[in-house]
Amino acid sequence: MGLTITRLPQTLGAVVDNLPEHIDEATAAALSEAWAENLVLFFPQARLDDERHIALGSVFGTLHATSPGLEDDHRDQTVFGPNGEILEIDARKDRANMWHTDVTFTETPPVGSLLSMKVCPARGGDTLWSNQYLAYETLSEPIRDLVDGLSAEHGRPPMTGVHTHPMVTTHPVTGRKALFVNRGWTTRIPGLSPLESRGLLDLLFAHAEKPEHTVRWSWQPGDAAMWDNRCTMHYAVNDYGDAERVLRRVTMYA
């Protein structure tokens, strides 16, 4: 059977079945088109070993375990792969249960990530993604006009560095505008008073996180998912107590 791609009924996400062992040009093109259209691709029971994980991720960018040039950015997690491309994330060491977009505190945030679930709880431990195109497009026109001209600071020193990015970005592939702020890393809007900055960011966070903008995936061991960091946020639900949850992830950079 050939590759099949089925859109989910939510505002983002598609399921990819029959992923071949090796990614040829036609498969890469089909996956790239589906990724641009759906923002998140889910691969049920893909069972990616490290070699296939690296090969698939490499179709979409240059791979790093976390942030290029930040050797201490592994948060006590383990790195695998011939060039340290794969970060293993064990929930017993770190739980990022907050809406966020990965590594926006760097000058050039990643294009996306490809995650392979190794061990997951029997119940709980889902992940949600939010469509940031839709978050921008469903703002009222006056608020869109306001945020179109603003930038925001991302980062939480001393844990991270700080970089400023436009609050609205244009996707280099689709040409669509996306809201580019997230509760995890966006902290301040230069040029506004602290009260104005906090009020506007809180409004945008609440709007972007609305259930109407999201898709939710319930994991099984062997599942994989790939998301576009330029137009999504995600949230790992912390509802599984002491159960084990271990995944491996590559992060793609342009």
Side-chain angles (χ1 to χ4, degrees):
M1 295 179 64
L3 186 77
T4 61
I5 299 170
T6 307
R7 294 190 66 176
L8 293 172
Q10 291 79 14
T11 62
L12 71 166
V15 173
V16 180
D17 289 305
N18 305 316
L19 184 71
E21 193 75 19
H22 302 287
I23 308 298
D24 59 18
E25 285 190 18
T27 301
L31 291 173
S32 295
E33 182 179 352
W35 197 37
E37 183 177 354
N38 297 288
L39 290 64
V40 185
L41 297 181
F42 299 104
F43 304 87
Q45 297 302 289
R47 300 194 179 278
L48 300 177
D49 59 21
D50 288 354
E51 183 178 355
R52 292 182 68 214
H53 197 166
I54 291 169
L56 179 57
S58 296
V59 170
F60 301 94
T62 302
L63 305 186
H64 295 273
T66 51
S67 312
L70 298 181
E71 299 301 329
D72 59 348
D73 193 30
H74 299 149
R75 298 186 299 278
D76 298 323
Q77 306 284 2
T78 305
V79 174
F80 293 90
N83 297 300
E85 303 96 330
I86 300 173
L87 181 70
E88 183 171 89
I89 301 175
D90 187 333
R92 292 170 294 188
K93 300 179 182 178
D94 182 32
R95 296 195 181 193
N97 57 319
M98 177 182 288
W99 278 107
H100 66 285
T101 302
D102 288 336
V103 204
T104 59
F105 50 82
T106 56
E107 183 176 2
T108 306
V111 170
S113 293
L114 173 62
L115 181 157
S116 178
M117 183 61 68
K118 301 303 181 184
V119 181
C120 61
R123 297 181 62 186
D126 295 355
T127 303
L128 295 89
W129 285 265
S130 173
N131 183 333
Q132 293 300 91
Y133 292 142
L134 192 60
Y136 172 75
E137 292 163 359
T138 55
L139 289 169
S140 66
E141 186 174 351
I143 298 297
R144 283 203 309 271
D145 290 344
L146 174 61
V147 298
D148 270 334
L150 295 174
S151 295
E153 286 187 359
H154 297 242
R156 298 188 180 278
M159 181 173 62
T160 73
V162 175
H163 280 85
T164 300
H165 301 293
M167 294 176 67
V168 178
T169 58
T170 301
H171 196 286
V173 175
T174 66
R176 295 177 67 182
K177 287 186 172 182
L179 189 63
F180 197 72
V181 297
N182 68 91
R183 193 181 296 274
W185 301 119
T186 311
T187 56
R188 190 175 78 90
I189 304 172
L192 300 189
S193 71
L195 183 62
E196 291 168 336
S197 175
R198 177 47 49 199
L200 181 54
L201 286 176
D202 284 346
L203 180 155
L204 295 173
F205 296 155
H207 177 74
E209 296 163 5
K210 289 170 62 175
E212 291 84 352
H213 299 157
T214 66
V215 66
R216 181 169 182 148
W217 187 258
S218 296
W219 296 99
Q220 295 294 324
D223 289 355
M226 183 173 69
W227 62 92
D228 193 324
N229 204 61
R230 299 162 292 189
C231 52
T232 65
M233 302 187 300
H234 54 282
Y235 183 103
V237 181
N238 181 5
D239 61 349
Y240 49 94
D242 296 328
E244 191 175 8
R245 188 177 189 270
V246 180
L247 56 94
R248 291 191 178 185
R249 187 193 72 192
V250 296
T251 302
M252 294 98 73
Y253 288 81

